[in-house]
Amino acid sequence: MMSIRRAMAAVLLASGLGAAGLVTSPANAGECSQATPQFCDPVVTDPDPEQEDLSTRTQVDDFKTDTTSCSVYANGTGMGMYCNTFGGCDTKTLRERYGDQKFQQCRYSELPPTVKEPYNANPDKGRFMLMTCLENIDFDTYNGGPNRTLSLSIVFVPFGTDTSDHHNGITDFLWNQIDRNKPMPVPFLVARPNSTPLVGIPTFFTFQWMDPATQTPMEETRNGGAYREVTAGDVVMRARATKVVINPQQQGIKATTCLADSPYREGELPRNQPADACSIIFPRSSASARKYATKPIPANIKDAFYADVTVTWEVTYGEVGGESHTLGDGFSMRMRQVLPVQEVQAPNQPPTVIY
């Protein structure tokens, strides 16, 4: 079961990733001491009801092996882990080995690429950083004990605060930290057999998965579907896209649910396509998109449907070669994509907007 602090960290990361529409009052690093990091939790208000359709909020869990202790997290836009690797066996305890050396309990780092910085009302006084604290250390064990954990907080750090890593024997031994995080791939709709859908003809969709960090096609795939993997020590974390829902947000045009690796047979007639192919028949062109829209279309979108595209991710974690554990019950990434539909063929590449 997650601790209260872990649950708070989950909510905090959700707000930082822009996934839950929560309003937070992040902790102030100037008010937190290394001896009392528990006072650095945020104050969280109720979610904004207008933001209920945003990507799934963050889930966080703890996982330990014989050599590694990790906090794993994921939401609809990214996933990652923060891990501590235990040292080798020693007959002496930390207290016996390092005596009176002062241990640096919390460290600061820049926000990961998948974490959006909260609104900074005082940019002239400081900035937001990720504070990671190593807690529940048993100094009468050789490696810190089996209950040590990593806690994550986004904190406001006043200018002039010492955010450097301090080094001595006990700090370097316990802070053998590995951190990994990756954004989830983004699917671009690829229409077949015409690059722009045509009225009255079955349009089949496949997906070109793009890495939002590098703006390049995904290399990590399984059976054509999007796949992510993160490793730290002997712990592995995997995300797999299971389905994609395309909703044109138009009266009289139903949403369709597709496999993330939806098949398509190039050159085959519609009746010869696989039963699980992803398809929509558009009864009218997108010239009337704004008239029949069931959801507002931005003013700069001309003569095109503005479709909702929802990806469901399954995230698991565990020891390499061992049993996998499921994090959460599925994570939804939601985005909007421009989808022109023509009476005649007109090539176009639909852009995407993640929110």
Side-chain angles (χ1 to χ4, degrees), residues 40-337:
C40 296
D41 281 330
V43 176
V44 182
T45 66
D46 292 332
D48 182 349
E50 297 299 321
Q51 302 297 320
E52 289 179 352
D53 63 345
L54 297 184
S55 300
T56 305
R57 66 184 59 191
T58 303
Q59 297 286 326
V60 181
D61 208 349
D62 296 327
F63 181 71
K64 296 183 179 68
T65 69
D66 291 339
T67 61
T68 309
S69 174
C70 292
S71 290
V72 297
Y73 74 90
N75 63 23
T77 61
M79 70 173 188
M81 66 173 79
Y82 291 82
C83 296
N84 244 334
T85 302
F86 297 134
C89 186
D90 197 304
T91 57
K92 293 183 179 180
T93 67
L94 295 175
R95 201 182 305 277
E96 291 171 336
R97 272 185 289 167
Y98 299 110
D100 296 331
Q101 290 184 14
K102 185 177 180 180
F103 168 56
Q104 183 183 8
Q105 186 175 9
C106 296
R107 285 185 167 179
Y108 300 93
S109 60
E110 301 299 326
L111 297 182
T114 50
V115 175
K116 181 181 179 181
E117 181 179 353
Y119 172 71
N120 188 353
N122 299 289
D124 57 330
K125 296 182 179 179
R127 58 177 178 148
F128 287 99
M129 300 184 73
L130 183 71
M131 183 176 72
T132 308
C133 295
L134 184 55
E135 301 177 335
N136 301 320
I137 302 296
D138 184 350
F139 294 95
D140 292 314
T141 63
Y142 78 91
N143 65 0
N147 297 319
R148 66 179 184 172
T149 59
L150 285 167
S151 64
L152 312 175
S153 300
I154 298 174
V155 298
F156 182 80
V157 182
F159 292 132
T161 301
D162 181 7
T163 60
S164 62
D165 293 346
H166 300 169
H167 298 279
N168 58 19
I170 191 169
T171 296
D172 290 343
F173 177 78
L174 290 173
W175 276 107
N176 181 15
Q177 180 180 330
I178 304 172
D179 63 301
R180 299 285 188 270
N181 61 85
K182 289 186 178 181
M184 298 302 195
V186 178
F188 283 82
L189 301 180
V190 179
R192 297 283 195 270
N194 303 289
S195 58
T196 297
L198 301 180
V199 173
I201 299 174
T203 294
F204 294 87
F205 291 100
T206 59
F207 309 101
Q208 173 63 68
W209 296 91
M210 304 292 290
D211 186 333
T214 63
Q215 299 296 311
T216 58
M218 280 294 301
E219 296 181 359
E220 297 178 39
T221 61
R222 294 292 187 275
N223 300 322
Y227 177 89
R228 275 297 207 201
E229 183 172 298
V230 180
T231 58
D234 58 351
V235 178
V236 61
M237 193 175 186
R238 299 183 177 96
R240 181 177 66 91
T242 58
K243 67 178 181 180
V244 179
V245 178
I246 305 172
N247 187 348
Q249 293 293 345
Q250 288 284 306
Q251 297 177 28
I253 306 179
K254 294 182 179 180
T256 185
T257 300
C258 314
L259 300 176
D261 56 347
S262 288
Y264 176 74
R265 294 173 183 165
E266 202 72 47
E268 293 283 351
L269 295 174
R271 64 175 178 269
N272 295 328
Q273 293 297 331
D276 54 353
C278 177
S279 67
I280 297 178
I281 298 178
F282 294 96
R284 60 179 179 272
S285 78
S286 54
S288 59
R290 204 171 299 278
K291 178 179 178 180
Y292 295 105
T294 58
K295 197 171 186 177
I297 298 177
N300 62 336
I301 303 297
K302 304 295 184 183
D303 298 332
F305 300 144
Y306 201 38
D308 276 351
V309 179
T310 304
V311 183
T312 298
W313 295 93
E314 178 186 77
V315 178
T316 59
Y317 63 93
E319 189 170 3
V320 174
E323 179 183 2
S324 292
H325 307 270
T326 301
L327 181 62
D329 57 358
F331 298 88
S332 295
M333 169 194 282
R334 294 184 173 92
M335 67 203 76
R336 305 294 299 275
Q337 290 199 15

Side-chain angles (χ1 to χ4, degrees), residues 27-34 36-37 39-41 108 131 155:
N28 188 318
E31 300 171 355
C32 303
S33 70
Q34 293 179 0
T36 58
F39 295 126
C40 296
D41 281 330
Y108 300 93
M131 183 176 72
V155 298

